[in-house]
Amino acid sequence: MTDLAVRAHDVFCLYPTPRGHVAALRGLTLDVGAGERVVVHGPNGSGKTTLMRVLIGELAASAGTVDVCGLDLAGAPDGERTRLRGRRIGLVDQHHGRNLRPELSVLDNVALQLRLTGARRRTARARAAAILDRLGLAHLGPRRPVTLSGGEAQRVAVCAAVAHAPDLVLADEPTGELDRSTADEVYDLLAAAAANSGAALLVVSHDARATRIADRIVRIRDGRLSEEWLPQDRATESHQAAESHHVIESLVVDDRGWLRLPEPLRRRTGLMQRALATAAGTSIVLTPPDDESRAVAVSTARPDSDALGVATSIGEEVARLDRVSVDRDGRRVLDSVDMSLRAGSLTVVQGRSGSGKTTLLRILCGLERPDTGSVRVAGTDLAGLDRAGLAALRRRNLGVAGQSAALLETMDVDENLDLVRLARRLPADGAAVREWIGALGLAAVRRRPVRVLSGGERQRVAVARVLVAEPRIAVVDEPTSRQDEAHAELVVAALVAAARRGVAVVAATHDPVLIAAADAVVMLG
């Protein structure tokens, strides 16, 4: 392709740490044609988020060529990079709160991007109204973001991202916190919005369903492009379904000759550590050097949660919500909801985006007050506590990980976990910290500052921080939303293990694996 929205060739990106540099991108090469729709898959820590930061000019590549919408980012002045982000690129974040201003109406949020490019207020609002109408969201124009469901807010964020008719739309895990049907609506809107403005679309996602809107799918592993394939059937809803339709993933050999073999392929063939490479005509054949290497491959199964604790029977009730209702801006968010949490159990709160899952968890933690109903935690009625009393109760009884992890950026993983034990006045216990770090697949990054971690790694650190605090009640909101399949299984196993140790674990989630592991499910609207 001669007309490219993205041209990234042999890109390296290094993060400095107190113990040396970490390579997030290692010779990655990726082109995206004008108007092309590309979905990028990859496990946590593979370099996806770093790639996005490089493409918007927020992070400079350590080496290689990065050209976005005709601008060579190497050495480009700050003003040029700012104009690129403001005029040529549309950004859609996983958290719609980063795209939308809460004090503005939906209409003015969509108009804001146009105002930033120099349009007059009346002109910007008229164009914003036309975009909302064209994309079927005109009825949301007068509302504020806080009154929208998660799916509605994310669709508005898409409109805001394309209001200025960008040449490139970048979406980072845009459906990570949405249920499946709502996620499909967001994907369809992304495709329609990009087509409407003629923009190229680059979607970073763990969700295999994102391929439904793709012209091409690529996978990144270890900071390099490892595989790519074309969807044979647009109706295919998952990569697994695509495989049944005989879609072939092409392995990518970069210009240095590096080839990354997919882990499932290596496990099936036993090529886990070393292999002999021989030529057979125009083919390259890889074989294990001896039978011993196959035996090593077979023994590399992931440990399950049984290794983390002895099974504990479900015990006493530690929290209870009775007939809790919440009204917000004329809309009933929760309607007479009951929930009982018991020691040694895993409870899941399930429901469509916007059904009130996060609100229910915040009420449990005393971060919001219900309009009607009662909340008791550790035998205490929260209605009788002031702000300081609620904070003291949380410190004694609860560990909380919200959708956005508030970690200390300059500290490494170990230090973040040690700090929470210190704040809870728990004795230093390196063994407990190491145990949860290992259980959540964080051993390789434990000495890295949190600021250099991927979104999925940060999310697992937030879960680990809850568990090392040894709370009576562990509250986690969408704990697998930023995880690839393998790491999501680790998170679920860790939560199950915590419950087996007597913790009352409650999680809001759309994840069917986590739902299947639950002892109790609370279904909302």
Side-chain angles (χ1 to χ4, degrees):
M1 290 174 284
T2 57
D3 192 6
L4 296 176
V6 172
R7 182 177 181 272
H9 280 206
D10 203 21
V11 177
F12 286 78
C13 192
L14 305 179
Y15 287 105
T17 75
R19 295 173 176 82
H21 285 77
V22 174
L25 298 179
R26 310 181 190 192
L28 181 140
T29 293
L30 175 66
D31 290 338
V32 179
E36 186 182 18
R37 299 194 300 244
V38 176
V39 170
V40 179
H41 288 321
N44 297 141
S46 60
K48 303 187 305 297
T49 297
T50 297
L51 173 63
M52 297 289 268
R53 293 184 64 197
V54 168
L55 294 182
I56 64 175
E58 179 183 292
L59 182 66
S62 305
T65 300
V66 182
D67 187 294
V68 178
C69 300
L71 176 66
D72 185 353
L73 295 183
D78 289 343
E80 288 291 329
R81 291 199 297 273
T82 299
R83 278 189 288 275
L84 173 71
R85 287 192 293 268
R87 297 177 182 272
R88 309 290 299 279
I89 295 177
L91 299 174
V92 182
D93 195 270
Q94 177 180 11
H95 304 290
H96 54 75
R98 296 175 187 162
N99 289 94
L100 305 177
R101 301 291 303 176
E103 70 274 15
L104 300 179
S105 69
V106 164
L107 179 64
D108 287 327
N109 264 290
V110 177
L112 179 62
Q113 185 65 51
L114 292 162
R115 297 294 307 280
L116 294 174
T117 61
R120 293 178 179 272
R121 183 175 185 271
R122 180 176 296 178
T123 300
R125 295 186 94 238
R127 290 181 184 173
I131 290 167
L132 287 168
D133 183 58
R134 190 158 53 244
L135 295 176
L137 299 173
H139 61 289
L140 299 180
R143 292 172 59 179
R144 296 287 178 93
V146 70
T147 70
L148 304 178
S149 71
E152 288 171 337
Q154 195 66 300
R155 291 196 293 276
V156 170
V158 171
C159 290
V162 301
H164 57 302
D167 297 309
L168 173 65
V169 177
L170 301 174
D172 188 6
E173 297 286 359
T175 65
E177 296 165 4
L178 304 178
D179 61 80
R180 285 192 170 192
S181 60
T182 305
D184 285 345
E185 292 172 0
V186 171
Y187 288 135
D188 290 342
L189 186 67
L190 271 169
N196 183 67
S197 64
L201 175 62
L202 184 66
V203 179
V204 167
S205 179
H206 294 303
D207 185 1
R209 296 165 67 88
T211 60
R212 66 201 302 275
I213 64 167
D215 297 318
R216 179 164 53 106
I217 305 101
V218 302
R219 182 172 283 120
I220 294 176
R221 298 182 192 270
D222 303 324
R224 298 187 183 96
L225 195 66
S226 64
E227 300 131 80
E228 68 176 2
W229 67 97
L230 305 177
Q232 186 174 9
D233 183 354
R234 285 293 177 88
T236 297
E237 292 186 349
S238 70
H239 177 43
Q240 289 75 22
E243 288 181 335
S244 71
H245 283 75
H246 307 294
V247 174
I248 298 174
E249 299 182 26
S250 300
L251 300 181
V252 176
V253 182
D254 68 16
D255 51 12
R256 284 188 172 86
W258 286 105
L259 174 69
R260 175 59 155 84
L261 297 180
E263 185 170 346
L265 182 62
R266 292 189 300 129
R267 288 190 179 278
R268 287 200 300 269
T269 58
L271 294 170
M272 296 300 295
Q273 296 179 359
R274 293 184 298 130
L276 300 176
T278 56
T282 59
S283 300
I284 298 175
V285 178
L286 302 179
T287 54
D290 50 46
D291 291 338
E292 182 181 356
S293 64
R294 289 187 182 274
V296 171
V298 171
S299 67
T300 57
R302 177 181 63 81
D304 62 24
S305 58
D306 290 337
L308 296 172
V310 178
T312 301
S313 60
I314 295 176
E316 64 176 348
E317 185 177 76
V318 294
R320 183 174 188 84
L321 283 70
D322 286 311
R323 302 188 65 78
V324 166
S325 296
V326 174
D327 293 313
R328 185 178 292 157
D329 294 322
R331 183 173 70 93
R332 177 141 289 196
V333 179
L334 295 173
D335 188 9
S336 296
V337 176
D338 298 326
M339 182 170 70
S340 173
L341 302 181
R342 293 186 172 275
S345 69
L346 169 59
T347 301
V348 159
V349 181
Q350 183 185 4
R352 282 180 56 88
S353 301
S355 60
K357 299 186 299 298
T358 296
T359 300
L360 185 65
L361 295 190
R362 288 178 59 82
I363 286 172
L364 169 67
C365 298
L367 298 171
E368 289 187 30
R369 302 277 193 182
D371 292 307
T372 61
S374 64
V375 183
R376 296 184 69 85
V377 174
T380 301
D381 188 342
L382 301 195
L385 299 179
D386 59 12
R387 185 175 179 181
L390 289 169
L393 179 136
R394 283 193 294 271
R395 186 169 57 251
R396 290 192 305 269
N397 297 285
L398 285 92
V400 183
Q403 293 181 3
S404 299
L407 304 171
L408 288 174
E409 302 288 308
T410 57
M411 287 186 170
D412 65 25
V413 174
D414 272 12
E415 290 166 339
N416 266 274
L417 302 189
D418 287 337
L419 182 62
V420 74
R421 289 187 65 87
L422 178 64
R424 295 292 180 103
R425 298 179 180 175
L426 296 171
D429 188 345
V433 169
R434 287 193 301 273
E435 184 178 31
W436 289 117
I437 282 176
L440 288 161
L442 294 167
V445 298
R446 62 182 301 183
R447 299 298 186 184
R448 295 182 188 176
V450 166
R451 61 183 170 79
V452 307
L453 301 183
S454 71
E457 290 165 342
R458 290 168 60 91
Q459 188 177 53
R460 278 180 278 134
V461 173
V463 172
R465 189 175 60 175
V466 168
L467 300 182
V468 300
E470 300 179 8
R472 294 184 69 184
I473 305 170
V475 182
V476 288
D477 195 354
E478 298 286 0
T480 61
S481 63
R482 308 204 87 176
Q483 304 303 318
D484 57 76
E485 184 177 351
H487 287 106
E489 290 178 357
L490 290 183
V491 172
V492 173
L495 295 177
V496 170
R500 287 180 177 177
R501 292 184 174 187
V503 179
V505 181
V506 58
T509 187
H510 300 297
D511 187 342
V513 177
L514 182 50
I515 293 168
D519 299 299
V521 176
V522 176
M523 178 66 72
L524 300 181

